[in-house]
Amino acid sequence: MTRTVYVNGEYLPEGDAKISIFDRGFLMADAVYEVTSVLGGKLIDFQGHAVRLKRSLDELEMAAPCTKEELLAIHRKLVEVNEIDEGLVYLQVTRGSDGDRDFVFPSDDTPPSIVLFTQAKPGLADSPAAKKGAKIISIEDIRWGRRDIKTVQLLYPSMGKMMAKKAGCDDAWLVEDGHVTEGTSNNAYFVKDGVIVTRPLSNDILHGITRKAVLRMAAEAQLKIEERLFTIEEAQGADEAFTTSASAFVMPVVEIDGVALGDGAPGPIAKRLREIYLDESLKAAI
């Protein structure tokens, strides 16, 4: 079945979807994005993604292409027409195009471009990878300084994923000034003596929607949380570790730079938080 996608106000077969070659998302990576998971045909944490999208647009002085209500309607229609039970909705907003290439932003009356498409991911919730746990390598963090804005500048994270793959691992954690910032596409945590440790929010990391939800749920479960800087060596000495993201939820980590954590299997806190997150998110899905 050919997917139906959304481009600038139109629902189209994916083969008919077109964006100008002068679009600044294509030429300058002048664009932001969000990914919302779908479970049971419903959107997970849509409101959080909508709020973060607005923040990203505001930080880049980029116009919103539609209202939050219109955005929700588009998401729901794409999920329906593409018959997505478990999967993702990808959304991208660019600064648009005034018909040529220039470093200077186009005039304020240039409309932004908006694109959405779905990806079917059967078994997203019951993930074999989550049962096995992820192996991680560490790499230097050489990204730009505004990682709190969810832009499409994903070349280095993609390179990091490939470095991990070539090393026989699943992902990479990024390290700056001796401390872990985050994963290539997720927030990073370790657990020691029952305490969950993760880096505090700043411009250095993405303000993860799943991060916010999981930390709230952990606090409600009376788990101890420390938001502070930490090193790879600290994480290697942990009892367990995990990552969070909108598309993988809570993913246990079982190895960092060749050092096994605990007994080398997903830890109890990561497994419990994944169960709680999926249960609570499904109840709140829209």
Side-chain angles (χ1 to χ4, degrees):
M1 183 181 75
T2 299
R3 275 181 297 186
T4 295
V5 302
Y6 181 90
V7 181
N8 292 333
E10 294 186 276
Y11 295 92
L12 301 165
E14 60 182 290
D16 295 339
K18 296 179 176 62
I19 288 286
S20 168
I21 63 167
F22 299 113
D23 188 274
R24 289 180 61 87
F26 173 64
L27 294 178
M28 306 285 192
D30 190 358
V32 300
Y33 78 103
E34 288 288 338
V35 178
T36 302
S37 287
V38 179
L39 294 177
K42 293 184 177 182
L43 300 164
I44 301 296
D45 226 335
F46 172 82
Q47 299 297 338
H49 289 287
V51 169
R52 187 172 62 183
L53 173 66
K54 183 180 185 305
R55 181 183 183 278
S56 293
L57 292 171
D58 289 347
E59 289 294 310
L60 296 179
E61 300 180 2
M62 195 181 298
C66 60
T67 67
K68 184 170 69 173
E69 292 72 24
E70 290 168 335
L71 200 59
L72 176 57
I74 297 166
H75 276 71
R76 282 177 163 163
K77 182 166 182 177
L78 287 176
V79 169
E80 178 184 359
V81 298
N82 291 308
E83 299 179 354
I84 303 297
D85 181 60
E86 290 192 342
L88 310 171
V89 181
Y90 177 89
L91 154 71
Q92 180 169 307
V93 180
T94 86
R95 205 179 299 272
S97 167
D98 59 3
D100 212 336
R101 181 183 181 276
D102 197 330
F103 279 87
V104 176
F105 290 173
S107 61
D108 291 341
D109 60 356
T110 301
S113 292
I114 177 170
V115 171
L116 291 93
F117 59 82
T118 58
Q119 293 177 290
K121 300 282 186 179
L124 187 63
D126 189 25
S127 166
K131 296 173 183 176
K132 181 181 68 172
K135 294 181 179 181
I136 300 294
I137 64 168
S138 62
I139 61 174
E140 182 183 1
D141 195 340
I142 59 174
R143 300 170 298 164
W144 81 314
R146 290 302 308 275
R147 301 149 196 168
D148 57 307
I149 306 173
K150 196 170 177 69
T151 71
V152 299
Q153 299 177 48
L154 297 174
L155 176 58
Y156 189 63
S158 295
M159 293 173 68
K161 295 234 186 239
M162 292 307 300
M163 292 179 210
K165 184 177 180 180
K166 289 177 182 177
C169 293
D170 303 291
D171 205 351
W173 282 5
L174 305 165
V175 178
E176 183 176 61
D177 297 329
H179 296 102
V180 175
T181 49
E182 57 192 341
T184 58
S185 59
N186 43 58
N187 292 116
Y189 314 72
F190 72 85
V191 182
K192 183 68 175 178
D193 298 328
V195 179
I196 300 169
V197 178
T198 192
R199 191 180 180 105
L201 294 180
S202 68
N203 290 352
D204 297 329
I205 66 170
L206 183 68
H207 298 192
I209 302 305
T210 309
R211 175 191 186 277
K212 181 178 180 180
V214 167
L215 289 181
R216 173 179 58 79
M217 293 171 189
E220 290 172 353
Q222 300 186 329
L223 295 171
K224 294 181 180 180
I225 301 163
E226 289 184 7
E227 295 185 63
R228 63 171 176 81
L229 304 185
F230 65 91
T231 66
I232 284 291
E233 290 73 24
E234 277 189 278
Q236 287 176 318
D239 301 319
E240 58 178 296
F242 61 93
T243 62
T244 61
S245 66
S247 57
F249 313 123
V250 179
M251 178 62 64
V253 170
V254 297
E255 180 183 296
I256 301 174
D257 282 340
V259 176
L261 306 187
D263 61 3
I269 289 180
K271 289 194 290 186
R272 180 60 181 145
L273 286 175
R274 182 179 177 88
E275 291 171 0
I276 294 172
Y277 177 79
L278 287 171
D279 183 56
E280 294 299 317
S281 296
L282 280 167
K283 289 177 183 177
I286 60 174

